[in-house]
Amino acid sequence: MPADGSVNGRSLPRVAKCGLSSIANQSVRMPENTTKPRLKVKPQTERPKLYKVILVNDDFTPREFVVTVLKGEFKLSEDQAHRVMITAHRHGVCVVAVFTRDVAETKATRATDAGKAKGYPLLFTTEPEE
Ligand code: TYC
């Protein structure tokens, strides 16, 4: 390009020189509320934590009553209820079923209260699943 800035004989508009020294000492304002773009996408359908309802053995509650409560509160069949009862009787405890926290606690309380109403020490507890 010739010294007068012309290209192929045509003069081009003059462009002001952008001297860096003119902005070097100015403070530059950054936006205050910037947000980082999210790199990992969180699944929108996380499964709720589950809680076990546990039947605890005792020496006083009649076997048949335990079976009746298991059928009524946990909708177990006669056969399932008998297996759960006999497992708790032999081993001390047995997992009855797993539910969300609210449901597990409500069922454990109702089943324990059913024994209490008859004067039995029948006990159902809950604990979180690993
Ligand atoms: N052990 C009780 C009995 O012999 C029966 C029983 C079983 C009670 C399980 C509680 O969680 C239980 N009568």
Side-chain angles (χ1 to χ4, degrees):
M1 198 191 293
D4 68 357
S6 67
V7 175
N8 295 336
R10 292 174 55 201
S11 63
L12 295 175
R14 293 180 77 80
V15 177
K17 270 193 193 157
C18 177
L20 286 179
S21 59
S22 65
I23 60 167
N25 292 325
Q26 289 177 12
S27 64
V28 176
R29 261 187 216 292
M30 294 293 288
E32 272 161 30
N33 36 6
T34 55
T35 49
K36 270 194 275 170
R38 202 163 350 135
L39 299 178
K40 266 191 209 155
V41 175
K42 192 175 174 192
Q44 293 298 293
T45 52
E46 242 163 61
R47 281 178 292 125
K49 196 172 159 75
L50 294 177
Y51 286 72
K52 298 179 278 193
V53 174
I54 296 161
L55 170 63
V56 182
N57 185 42
D58 67 71
D59 293 337
F60 305 99
T61 309
R63 293 181 182 203
E64 203 41 54
F65 183 76
V66 179
V67 171
T68 300
V69 171
L70 288 169
K71 287 163 68 180
E73 190 58 49
F74 299 96
K75 308 294 172 224
L76 301 191
S77 67
E78 175 76 26
D79 189 61
Q80 291 170 326
H82 191 266
R83 285 168 192 272
V84 168
M85 179 279 295
I86 214 72
T87 300
H89 176 75
R90 289 179 183 157
H91 299 276
V93 289
C94 181
V95 175
V96 179
V98 296
F99 303 99
T100 55
R101 185 175 181 173
D102 256 27
V103 175
E105 286 175 354
T106 300
K107 286 183 179 291
T109 300
R110 284 169 51 96
T112 298
D113 287 350
K116 213 176 279 175
K118 295 269 189 181
Y120 300 135
L122 182 63
L123 178 62
F124 291 82
T125 62
T126 63
E127 64 175 67
E129 265 201 335
E130 315 74 50

